[in-house]
Amino acid sequence: MTVGKTRQLLLLFRPSLNLPFRRNNSSYSSTTNEPKQRKFATRDFEEIQIPVPWGHIAGKWYGPKHERPLVALHGWQDNAGTFDTLAPLLPRDIPILALDMPGHGLSSWLPDGINYHSIDYVTLINRIMDEYKWDKISLMGHSMSSINSFVYCALFPQKVDLYIGLDVLKPLTRSAKSIVDILGERIESISKVERRIRNKSEPPAYEWDQLVERLHVGTNKSVDMDTCKFLLKRNIKPSEHEPHKYYFSRDGRLKNSLFYAFSQQVPVEMARRITCPHLFIKALQAPYYERKEYYDEVLAILQQKPNFVYHEVEGSHHVHLNEPEKVAPLIISFLEKYRS
Protein backbone atom coordinates (compact mmCIF):
# COMPACT_ATOMS: atom_id res chain seq x y z
CA MET A 1 0.00 0.00 0.00
CA THR A 2 1.37 3.42 -0.91
CA VAL A 3 1.90 6.20 1.63
CA GLY A 4 -0.71 8.34 -0.14
CA LYS A 5 -3.37 5.65 0.05
CA THR A 6 -2.56 4.99 3.69
CA ARG A 7 -2.94 8.67 4.57
CA GLN A 8 -6.30 8.85 2.76
CA LEU A 9 -7.46 5.82 4.69
CA LEU A 10 -6.54 7.24 8.09
CA LEU A 11 -8.53 10.37 7.29
CA LEU A 12 -11.51 8.33 6.10
CA PHE A 13 -11.88 6.32 9.27
CA ARG A 14 -10.88 8.85 11.91
CA PRO A 15 -11.86 9.14 14.75
CA SER A 16 -12.92 5.57 15.43
CA LEU A 17 -10.36 3.19 13.96
CA ASN A 18 -7.49 3.13 11.51
CA LEU A 19 -8.61 0.33 9.22
CA PRO A 20 -7.02 -1.26 6.18
CA PHE A 21 -8.54 -0.93 2.75
CA ARG A 22 -8.74 -3.93 0.43
CA ARG A 23 -9.92 -4.26 -3.14
CA ASN A 24 -12.66 -6.58 -1.86
CA ASN A 25 -14.26 -3.61 -0.11
CA SER A 26 -15.98 -2.46 -3.30
CA SER A 27 -17.95 -3.57 -6.29
CA TYR A 28 -16.05 -4.16 -9.53
CA SER A 29 -16.47 -3.06 -13.12
CA SER A 30 -17.34 -6.02 -15.33
CA THR A 31 -15.14 -4.64 -18.11
CA THR A 32 -12.02 -3.33 -16.35
CA ASN A 33 -12.07 -5.35 -13.13
CA GLU A 34 -11.28 -2.10 -11.30
CA PRO A 35 -13.10 -1.20 -8.07
CA LYS A 36 -16.01 1.22 -8.47
CA GLN A 37 -15.81 3.46 -5.41
CA ARG A 38 -18.86 5.68 -5.20
CA LYS A 39 -18.39 9.12 -3.75
CA PHE A 40 -20.93 10.09 -1.10
CA ALA A 41 -21.56 13.59 0.20
CA THR A 42 -20.30 14.38 3.70
CA ARG A 43 -21.57 16.57 6.51
CA ASP A 44 -19.86 17.73 9.69
CA PHE A 45 -21.08 16.23 12.94
CA GLU A 46 -20.20 16.11 16.62
CA GLU A 47 -19.87 12.89 18.58
CA ILE A 48 -22.09 13.09 21.66
CA GLN A 49 -22.87 10.93 24.69
CA ILE A 50 -26.15 10.91 26.59
CA PRO A 51 -26.01 9.52 30.16
CA VAL A 52 -28.31 6.63 31.04
CA PRO A 53 -28.46 4.56 34.25
CA TRP A 54 -26.26 1.77 32.79
CA GLY A 55 -23.73 4.01 31.00
CA HIS A 56 -24.27 6.18 27.93
CA ILE A 57 -25.93 6.39 24.54
CA ALA A 58 -23.54 7.49 21.79
CA GLY A 59 -24.58 9.51 18.79
CA LYS A 60 -23.68 11.85 15.95
CA TRP A 61 -25.17 15.35 16.00
CA TYR A 62 -25.34 17.00 12.58
CA GLY A 63 -26.10 20.69 12.26
CA PRO A 64 -27.08 23.42 14.71
CA LYS A 65 -27.17 22.56 18.40
CA HIS A 66 -29.66 25.25 19.42
CA GLU A 67 -32.61 23.59 17.67
CA ARG A 68 -34.42 20.32 18.37
CA PRO A 69 -33.16 17.70 15.91
CA LEU A 70 -34.69 14.98 13.83
CA VAL A 71 -33.77 11.90 15.89
CA ALA A 72 -32.58 9.12 13.59
CA LEU A 73 -32.66 5.54 14.91
CA HIS A 74 -31.09 2.54 13.18
CA GLY A 75 -32.03 -1.07 12.55
CA TRP A 76 -31.20 -4.28 14.41
CA GLN A 77 -27.42 -4.81 14.80
CA ASP A 78 -26.70 -1.66 12.75
CA ASN A 79 -25.65 1.69 14.25
CA ALA A 80 -25.75 5.44 13.66
CA GLY A 81 -23.50 4.97 10.62
CA THR A 82 -26.55 3.77 8.69
CA PHE A 83 -27.41 7.46 8.15
CA ASP A 84 -23.90 8.57 7.09
CA THR A 85 -24.84 8.82 3.40
CA LEU A 86 -28.38 10.17 3.89
CA ALA A 87 -27.76 12.93 6.46
CA PRO A 88 -25.60 15.05 4.09
CA LEU A 89 -28.45 15.16 1.55
CA LEU A 90 -31.02 16.52 4.00
CA PRO A 91 -31.52 20.25 4.71
CA ARG A 92 -28.49 21.68 6.55
CA ASP A 93 -30.66 23.93 8.71
CA ILE A 94 -32.42 20.90 10.24
CA PRO A 95 -30.22 19.21 12.84
CA ILE A 96 -30.07 15.42 12.90
CA LEU A 97 -29.20 13.31 15.94
CA ALA A 98 -28.31 9.76 14.85
CA LEU A 99 -28.05 7.47 17.86
CA ASP A 100 -26.49 4.08 18.60
CA MET A 101 -29.04 1.97 20.43
CA PRO A 102 -27.91 0.17 23.62
CA GLY A 103 -25.45 -2.62 22.80
CA HIS A 104 -24.89 -1.21 19.30
CA GLY A 105 -22.15 1.00 17.90
CA LEU A 106 -20.37 3.04 20.57
CA SER A 107 -23.19 2.90 23.15
CA SER A 108 -22.94 1.06 26.45
CA TRP A 109 -24.12 -2.52 26.70
CA LEU A 110 -26.95 -3.38 29.06
CA PRO A 111 -25.78 -4.75 32.44
CA ASP A 112 -24.90 -8.43 32.81
CA GLY A 113 -27.95 -10.60 33.29
CA ILE A 114 -30.32 -8.21 31.47
CA ASN A 115 -31.74 -9.21 28.10
CA TYR A 116 -32.54 -6.88 25.20
CA HIS A 117 -36.22 -6.42 24.44
CA SER A 118 -37.95 -4.30 21.80
CA ILE A 119 -39.98 -2.32 24.34
CA ASP A 120 -36.77 -1.07 26.01
CA TYR A 121 -35.96 0.97 22.89
CA VAL A 122 -39.37 2.63 23.18
CA THR A 123 -38.61 3.55 26.79
CA LEU A 124 -35.27 4.95 25.64
CA ILE A 125 -37.02 7.60 23.54
CA ASN A 126 -38.55 9.04 26.72
CA ARG A 127 -35.10 9.04 28.35
CA ILE A 128 -33.69 11.05 25.44
CA MET A 129 -36.53 13.56 25.65
CA ASP A 130 -36.04 13.92 29.41
CA GLU A 131 -32.30 14.51 28.99
CA TYR A 132 -32.83 17.36 26.52
CA LYS A 133 -36.06 18.59 28.14
CA TRP A 134 -38.06 18.25 24.93
CA ASP A 135 -41.84 18.16 25.04
CA LYS A 136 -41.97 16.96 21.41
CA ILE A 137 -39.80 14.71 19.29
CA SER A 138 -39.30 14.18 15.55
CA LEU A 139 -38.45 10.58 14.69
CA MET A 140 -36.86 8.81 11.74
CA GLY A 141 -36.41 5.06 12.11
CA HIS A 142 -35.12 2.26 9.92
CA SER A 143 -36.25 -1.36 10.26
CA MET A 144 -36.24 -2.25 13.99
CA SER A 145 -36.40 1.44 14.88
CA SER A 146 -39.18 2.07 12.38
CA ILE A 147 -41.17 -0.54 14.31
CA ASN A 148 -40.29 0.97 17.67
CA SER A 149 -41.09 4.50 16.46
CA PHE A 150 -44.47 3.24 15.23
CA VAL A 151 -45.14 1.88 18.72
CA TYR A 152 -43.99 5.10 20.37
CA CYS A 153 -46.19 7.24 18.13
CA ALA A 154 -49.19 5.12 19.07
CA LEU A 155 -48.49 5.12 22.81
CA PHE A 156 -47.59 8.83 23.03
CA PRO A 157 -49.24 10.59 20.07
CA GLN A 158 -49.08 13.96 21.84
CA LYS A 159 -45.27 13.78 22.06
CA VAL A 160 -44.43 13.24 18.38
CA ASP A 161 -44.64 16.05 15.82
CA LEU A 162 -43.61 13.89 12.83
CA TYR A 163 -42.40 10.39 12.06
CA ILE A 164 -40.46 8.95 9.11
CA GLY A 165 -40.41 5.16 8.78
CA LEU A 166 -37.98 3.35 6.49
CA ASP A 167 -38.94 -0.04 5.04
CA VAL A 168 -40.61 -1.86 8.00
CA LEU A 169 -44.06 -0.49 8.73
CA LYS A 170 -45.24 -2.07 11.99
CA PRO A 171 -44.56 -4.69 14.65
CA LEU A 172 -44.41 -8.02 12.83
CA THR A 173 -47.35 -10.37 13.23
CA ARG A 174 -46.26 -13.98 13.74
CA SER A 175 -48.13 -17.19 14.38
CA ALA A 176 -48.49 -18.37 17.96
CA LYS A 177 -46.30 -21.40 17.18
CA SER A 178 -43.57 -19.20 15.72
CA ILE A 179 -43.60 -16.90 18.75
CA VAL A 180 -43.27 -19.76 21.21
CA ASP A 181 -40.59 -21.55 19.19
CA ILE A 182 -38.43 -18.45 18.67
CA LEU A 183 -38.68 -17.27 22.27
CA GLY A 184 -37.53 -20.65 23.53
CA GLU A 185 -34.60 -20.74 21.12
CA ARG A 186 -33.48 -17.22 21.98
CA ILE A 187 -33.65 -17.66 25.74
CA GLU A 188 -31.59 -20.82 25.42
CA SER A 189 -29.04 -19.04 23.23
CA ILE A 190 -28.78 -16.07 25.60
CA SER A 191 -27.37 -18.36 28.29
CA LYS A 192 -24.59 -19.51 25.96
CA VAL A 193 -23.63 -15.96 25.01
CA GLU A 194 -23.61 -14.86 28.66
CA ARG A 195 -21.17 -17.66 29.52
CA ARG A 196 -18.78 -16.43 26.83
CA ILE A 197 -19.08 -12.84 28.08
CA ARG A 198 -18.42 -13.91 31.68
CA ASN A 199 -15.31 -15.78 30.53
CA LYS A 200 -14.20 -12.56 28.78
CA SER A 201 -13.38 -14.53 25.66
CA GLU A 202 -12.93 -12.46 22.50
CA PRO A 203 -15.30 -13.11 19.58
CA PRO A 204 -13.85 -14.48 16.32
CA ALA A 205 -11.55 -11.99 14.55
CA TYR A 206 -11.35 -11.31 10.81
CA GLU A 207 -9.34 -9.36 8.28
CA TRP A 208 -10.99 -6.26 6.81
CA ASP A 209 -12.15 -7.85 3.57
CA GLN A 210 -13.62 -10.74 5.54
CA LEU A 211 -15.55 -8.30 7.76
CA VAL A 212 -17.01 -6.62 4.69
CA GLU A 213 -17.99 -9.96 3.19
CA ARG A 214 -19.58 -11.19 6.43
CA LEU A 215 -21.60 -7.99 6.84
CA HIS A 216 -22.67 -7.98 3.20
CA VAL A 217 -23.75 -11.62 3.22
CA GLY A 218 -25.14 -11.44 6.77
CA THR A 219 -27.61 -8.77 5.67
CA ASN A 220 -28.69 -10.96 2.73
CA LYS A 221 -26.65 -8.58 0.56
CA SER A 222 -28.91 -5.70 1.59
CA VAL A 223 -25.86 -3.57 2.47
CA ASP A 224 -23.67 -2.99 -0.58
CA MET A 225 -20.00 -3.93 -0.37
CA ASP A 226 -18.86 -0.32 -0.62
CA THR A 227 -21.30 0.96 2.02
CA CYS A 228 -20.38 -1.66 4.63
CA LYS A 229 -17.65 0.67 5.87
CA PHE A 230 -20.20 3.14 7.21
CA LEU A 231 -21.56 0.50 9.60
CA LEU A 232 -18.23 -1.16 10.36
CA LYS A 233 -16.61 2.07 11.58
CA ARG A 234 -18.75 1.90 14.74
CA ASN A 235 -19.09 -1.84 14.90
CA ILE A 236 -15.60 -3.39 15.20
CA LYS A 237 -12.54 -3.35 17.46
CA PRO A 238 -8.97 -4.54 16.86
CA SER A 239 -8.23 -8.03 18.14
CA GLU A 240 -5.94 -8.24 21.16
CA HIS A 241 -4.69 -11.66 20.06
CA GLU A 242 -4.48 -11.56 16.26
CA PRO A 243 -2.63 -8.61 14.69
CA HIS A 244 -4.34 -6.86 11.77
CA LYS A 245 -7.65 -8.50 12.55
CA TYR A 246 -10.86 -7.12 14.04
CA TYR A 247 -13.95 -8.47 15.74
CA PHE A 248 -17.57 -7.32 15.80
CA SER A 249 -17.87 -5.24 18.97
CA ARG A 250 -21.66 -5.04 19.34
CA ASP A 251 -23.16 -6.94 22.26
CA GLY A 252 -23.46 -10.63 21.32
CA ARG A 253 -26.75 -10.79 23.21
CA LEU A 254 -28.38 -8.67 20.50
CA LYS A 255 -28.65 -11.69 18.22
CA ASN A 256 -31.09 -13.14 20.73
CA SER A 257 -33.09 -10.00 21.49
CA LEU A 258 -36.62 -10.60 22.72
CA PHE A 259 -39.33 -9.09 20.53
CA TYR A 260 -42.95 -7.99 20.51
CA ALA A 261 -45.41 -10.88 20.55
CA PHE A 262 -48.52 -9.01 19.41
CA SER A 263 -51.57 -10.36 17.67
CA GLN A 264 -52.53 -8.47 14.51
CA GLN A 265 -55.20 -6.58 16.45
CA VAL A 266 -52.51 -4.67 18.39
CA PRO A 267 -50.72 -2.97 15.46
CA VAL A 268 -54.15 -2.33 13.92
CA GLU A 269 -55.19 -0.46 17.06
CA MET A 270 -51.82 1.31 17.18
CA ALA A 271 -52.22 2.50 13.59
CA ARG A 272 -55.57 4.06 14.50
CA ARG A 273 -53.95 5.98 17.37
CA ILE A 274 -51.10 7.56 15.38
CA THR A 275 -52.01 11.19 14.75
CA CYS A 276 -48.75 12.90 13.73
CA PRO A 277 -47.65 13.50 10.13
CA HIS A 278 -46.21 10.17 9.02
CA LEU A 279 -44.01 9.35 6.02
CA PHE A 280 -43.37 5.70 5.18
CA ILE A 281 -40.96 4.60 2.46
CA LYS A 282 -41.02 0.95 1.35
CA ALA A 283 -38.06 -0.62 -0.47
CA LEU A 284 -39.46 -2.80 -3.24
CA GLN A 285 -36.64 -5.35 -3.26
CA ALA A 286 -36.89 -5.90 0.51
CA PRO A 287 -39.07 -8.60 2.07
CA TYR A 288 -42.12 -7.85 4.20
CA TYR A 289 -40.91 -10.13 7.03
CA GLU A 290 -44.53 -11.21 7.65
CA ARG A 291 -47.58 -12.22 5.63
CA LYS A 292 -48.30 -9.31 3.32
CA GLU A 293 -51.98 -9.18 4.22
CA TYR A 294 -50.98 -8.07 7.75
CA TYR A 295 -48.90 -5.24 6.27
CA ASP A 296 -51.66 -4.29 3.84
CA GLU A 297 -54.32 -4.13 6.56
CA VAL A 298 -52.34 -1.59 8.62
CA LEU A 299 -51.26 0.35 5.54
CA ALA A 300 -54.91 0.74 4.51
CA ILE A 301 -55.76 2.25 7.92
CA LEU A 302 -52.86 4.70 7.71
CA GLN A 303 -53.75 5.72 4.16
CA GLN A 304 -57.09 7.02 5.41
CA LYS A 305 -55.24 9.72 7.37
CA PRO A 306 -54.73 13.07 5.61
CA ASN A 307 -51.20 13.50 6.97
CA PHE A 308 -49.90 10.04 5.99
CA VAL A 309 -47.53 9.95 3.01
CA TYR A 310 -46.55 6.67 1.35
CA HIS A 311 -43.84 6.02 -1.25
CA GLU A 312 -42.24 2.94 -2.78
CA VAL A 313 -38.67 3.01 -4.12
CA GLU A 314 -36.51 0.52 -5.98
CA GLY A 315 -33.81 -0.86 -3.73
CA SER A 316 -32.87 -3.18 -0.89
CA HIS A 317 -33.76 -3.02 2.81
CA HIS A 318 -30.83 -0.59 3.21
CA VAL A 319 -31.70 1.59 0.22
CA HIS A 320 -31.38 4.71 2.43
CA LEU A 321 -27.69 3.81 2.95
CA ASN A 322 -26.83 2.40 -0.48
CA GLU A 323 -28.78 4.89 -2.62
CA PRO A 324 -29.70 7.83 -0.39
CA GLU A 325 -30.51 9.97 -3.42
CA LYS A 326 -33.66 7.87 -3.89
CA VAL A 327 -35.14 8.62 -0.48
CA ALA A 328 -33.71 12.07 0.34
CA PRO A 329 -36.08 14.05 -1.95
CA LEU A 330 -39.08 12.29 -0.43
CA ILE A 331 -37.92 13.12 3.09
CA ILE A 332 -37.12 16.72 2.15
CA SER A 333 -40.58 17.24 0.68
CA PHE A 334 -42.17 15.79 3.82
CA LEU A 335 -40.04 17.93 6.15
CA GLU A 336 -40.77 21.08 4.14
CA LYS A 337 -44.48 20.49 4.58
CA TYR A 338 -44.63 19.32 8.19
CA ARG A 339 -41.49 20.48 10.04
CA SER A 340 -42.48 23.78 11.59
Side-chain angles (χ1 to χ4, degrees):
M1 181 180 291
T2 66
V3 173
K5 286 186 177 179
T6 302
R7 181 170 297 173
Q8 290 174 2
L9 183 67
L10 295 179
L11 291 173
L12 173 64
F13 285 102
R14 192 178 293 164
S16 50
L17 289 169
N18 293 334
L19 301 172
F21 176 80
R22 305 291 178 92
R23 288 173 63 91
N24 291 9
N25 184 28
S26 61
S27 54
Y28 283 77
S29 165
S30 59
T31 56
T32 66
N33 202 35
E34 288 297 318
K36 295 189 299 183
Q37 284 295 319
R38 290 178 291 172
K39 291 184 178 180
F40 294 96
T42 60
R43 182 175 176 182
D44 291 339
F45 65 89
E46 178 185 340
E47 287 281 353
I48 60 99
Q49 290 188 352
I50 301 169
V52 289
W54 61 90
H56 70 270
I57 298 298
K60 306 172 72 169
W61 190 298
Y62 299 85
K65 297 292 292 291
H66 61 276
E67 292 187 28
R68 181 168 57 81
L70 173 64
V71 178
L73 307 175
H74 61 78
W76 181 54
Q77 298 196 84
D78 291 347
N79 54 65
T82 197
F83 299 107
D84 278 8
T85 62
L86 177 60
L89 303 185
L90 300 182
R92 298 299 176 109
D93 60 332
I94 297 179
I96 299 170
L97 175 56
L99 297 176
D100 295 329
M101 295 290 94
H104 299 76
L106 306 181
S107 287
S108 300
W109 294 11
L110 291 184
D112 292 348
I114 303 299
N115 299 327
Y116 291 87
H117 194 291
S118 301
I119 201 67
D120 294 328
Y121 299 122
V122 177
T123 304
L124 181 66
I125 295 174
N126 269 343
R127 292 187 186 278
I128 302 303
M129 293 183 68
D130 289 345
E131 174 65 23
Y132 287 105
K133 298 179 172 55
W134 296 331
D135 57 359
K136 294 274 188 181
I137 192 167
S138 304
L139 291 169
M140 177 168 66
H142 171 241
S143 192
M144 170 190 78
S145 288
S146 182
I147 294 173
N148 294 328
S149 297
F150 178 99
V151 173
Y152 190 88
C153 290
L155 297 181
F156 305 103
Q158 74 283 2
K159 292 186 177 184
V160 186
D161 63 359
L162 63 84
Y163 158 43
I164 301 165
L166 302 174
D167 199 47
V168 183
L169 179 65
K170 54 178 275 295
L172 304 181
T173 299
R174 302 173 173 90
S175 69
K177 181 181 185 304
S178 174
I179 291 171
V180 174
D181 288 346
I182 295 173
L183 282 176
E185 292 168 4
R186 293 199 172 181
I187 291 172
E188 185 74 19
S189 296
I190 286 169
S191 300
K192 296 177 182 177
V193 175
E194 285 184 337
R195 284 195 292 271
R196 179 181 63 75
I197 293 173
R198 284 197 300 269
N199 293 334
K200 298 186 181 344
S201 59
E202 187 179 279
Y206 307 95
E207 295 183 353
W208 172 253
D209 52 356
Q210 293 174 313
L211 290 167
V212 170
E213 179 71 17
R214 291 185 71 86
L215 179 58
H216 175 62
V217 173
T219 62
N220 292 320
K221 302 183 179 179
S222 171
V223 180
D224 287 350
M225 296 283 277
D226 64 346
T227 56
C228 285
K229 60 179 177 281
F230 297 109
L231 294 175
L232 289 174
K233 280 187 287 185
R234 303 174 76 85
N235 201 20
I236 61 174
K237 289 183 179 179
S239 171
E240 296 181 3
H241 311 297
E242 300 182 72
H244 313 300
K245 289 189 176 183
Y246 307 85
Y247 62 88
F248 288 99
S249 57
R250 62 197 171 212
D251 192 339
R253 292 174 293 175
L254 290 171
K255 290 184 179 180
N256 299 292
S257 300
L258 303 179
F259 53 86
Y260 301 116
F262 295 149
S263 68
Q264 175 67 356
Q265 287 80 3
V266 176
V268 163
E269 178 61 26
M270 287 180 169
R272 294 188 178 118
R273 296 192 184 199
I274 295 175
T275 59
C276 67
H278 178 183
L279 166 65
F280 182 70
I281 302 173
K282 176 65 184 145
L284 289 176
Q285 278 65 60
Y288 288 89
Y289 304 101
E290 62 179 341
R291 285 165 49 183
K292 191 170 180 294
E293 57 260 39
Y294 296 142
Y295 170 95
D296 289 340
E297 182 180 12
V298 169
L299 180 61
I301 294 170
L302 294 171
Q303 288 180 315
Q304 296 173 14
K305 301 174 185 286
N307 57 1
F308 177 73
V309 182
Y310 177 69
H311 291 286
E312 296 176 343
V313 297
E314 296 290 333
S316 75
H317 181 56
H318 286 81
V319 64
H320 69 286
L321 173 62
N322 299 326
E323 302 172 284
E325 67 279 0
K326 290 184 175 180
V327 302
L330 307 177
I331 294 173
I332 292 170
S333 176
F334 179 76
L335 292 174
E336 287 177 346
K337 184 173 182 179
Y338 291 110
R339 172 85 177 191
S340 58

